[in-house]
Amino acid sequence: MNGIDRSSSILREHFEEHRTKLSRSELAVAEHLVKMPIDVLIFRSAEEIAAETGTSDATVIRTAKRLGFSGLPELKRVSGRVMARTISTSERLEQRFRATGDDLEKVATQMFATAREVLTSTEEQMDGAVLASAISIVEEADTVWCIGMGTAEVEARHCAIALSRAGVRTRCSSASGFTLANELIDLRPADVIVMFHAVRETAEFKLIVRQLGDIGCKVILVCGVQLRAKYADKVSAILTCIGSPSKLASWSIGAIVIADLLAYGVAVRNQQQATDAKKRLADLRDQALGND
């Protein structure tokens, strides 16, 4: 990447495989994408690429699909993986500064657009049958443990709060190492784990999933596409969140929505339980404020 070849070899491979299927305008877009440095490509919107190639945003999106991707977000995400592996986080931040500039109004527009992209991509990955299965697993649990691995503490805590308000008994942890081991002593086979993990596989993550399987707990994994491929047969259900290679919007956006879907799904199926939980919460709040 460092000054040698900043374009995407994966994208070039897709281009060579599919180029004969492209129309003239699609070929113009594809050739433009192939030549574009990755650290530029991941910040480009369909509208910007269309303006640069004299085409339309619909043509850009269609070209991404013709090249074998689900759309432009996946094209950027797959192309950007090599950058994530080979460039330090500080260098990526510097690239982000260069790409966005310091016009905060423009930056806000980019960030909102990326957030919409994250949500749209996450929705496209949603499998209704898997979601329904995950909700059923939560319904049957004695206690639902919401565990946030690495940076995913906020998502796990949000999920635990949302489920508790639907009448589900929950526990939450963002601990690691020996501390997490001490907390998991209380696990029982009738418990369910909802585990949030935003990044790549780690030794600790592998160990925990294996240990949970040994205990007999069912595991719902909320993760990205790479972990989904590796753990499809190792957990009870996988719900996929899509991040953005530009990092202008957080993976957490999709994860929070998935947590809300789980909680609301349980509430809809168990409306009296959810209503009773809301009433208890309101009573406790009144007591805490001295309004009883």
Side-chain angles (χ1 to χ4, degrees), residues 42-267:
I42 62 175
F43 292 96
R44 285 290 198 272
S45 67
E47 292 81 4
E48 289 171 326
I49 295 168
E52 292 166 351
T53 55
T55 60
S56 66
D57 53 348
T59 301
V60 174
I61 294 167
R62 189 171 62 249
T63 302
K65 292 180 178 180
R66 294 269 196 179
L67 290 173
F69 301 96
S70 63
L72 183 61
E74 186 188 26
L75 183 153
K76 293 193 292 185
R77 192 168 59 250
V78 172
S79 297
R81 283 176 186 163
V82 65
M83 190 174 73
R85 291 193 299 266
T86 58
I87 297 180
S88 69
T89 54
S90 60
E91 287 179 283
R92 293 204 298 274
L93 180 58
E94 290 173 356
Q95 289 177 343
R96 202 175 310 149
F97 290 152
R98 290 194 295 270
T100 62
D102 57 6
D103 182 338
L104 294 184
E105 186 173 340
K106 178 183 176 184
V107 171
T109 298
Q110 290 176 299
M111 292 185 75
F112 277 113
T114 306
R116 288 190 291 269
E117 186 178 286
V118 166
L119 283 175
T120 298
S121 298
T122 297
E123 183 180 10
E124 289 172 350
Q125 295 292 325
M126 181 59 62
D127 185 319
V130 174
L131 176 63
S133 175
I135 292 169
S136 296
I137 291 169
V138 169
E139 284 183 288
E140 297 165 2
D142 180 19
T143 301
V144 176
W145 295 61
C146 298
I147 297 178
M149 299 293 294
T151 61
E153 175 182 0
V154 171
E155 297 91 313
R157 191 163 301 281
H158 179 85
C159 187
I161 292 171
L163 286 172
S164 68
R165 291 178 177 177
V168 177
R169 182 163 53 188
T170 65
R171 292 183 62 172
C172 182
S173 177
S174 59
S176 60
F178 289 121
T179 303
L180 180 58
N182 287 335
E183 293 187 13
L184 296 182
I185 288 174
D186 291 338
L187 269 174
R188 300 293 182 269
D191 294 342
V192 166
I193 310 296
V194 181
M195 184 178 296
F196 294 82
H197 190 48
V199 293
R200 295 184 295 274
E201 184 181 50
T202 63
E204 182 179 41
F205 176 78
K206 291 169 62 176
L207 178 63
I208 289 172
V209 172
R210 186 168 66 247
Q211 289 175 334
L212 295 175
D214 292 342
I215 294 170
C217 297
K218 290 184 177 179
V219 177
I220 299 168
L221 179 59
V222 183
C223 64
V225 290
Q226 290 174 287
L227 282 179
R228 179 183 65 184
K230 287 188 176 183
Y231 283 83
D233 60 346
K234 296 181 175 67
V235 298
S236 300
I238 293 182
L239 299 169
T240 309
C241 300
I242 304 300
S244 167
S246 70
K247 303 300 181 185
L248 289 179
S250 174
W251 175 90
S252 302
I253 295 172
I256 291 291
V257 172
I258 284 178
D260 286 339
L261 278 170
L262 282 174
Y264 192 72
V266 171

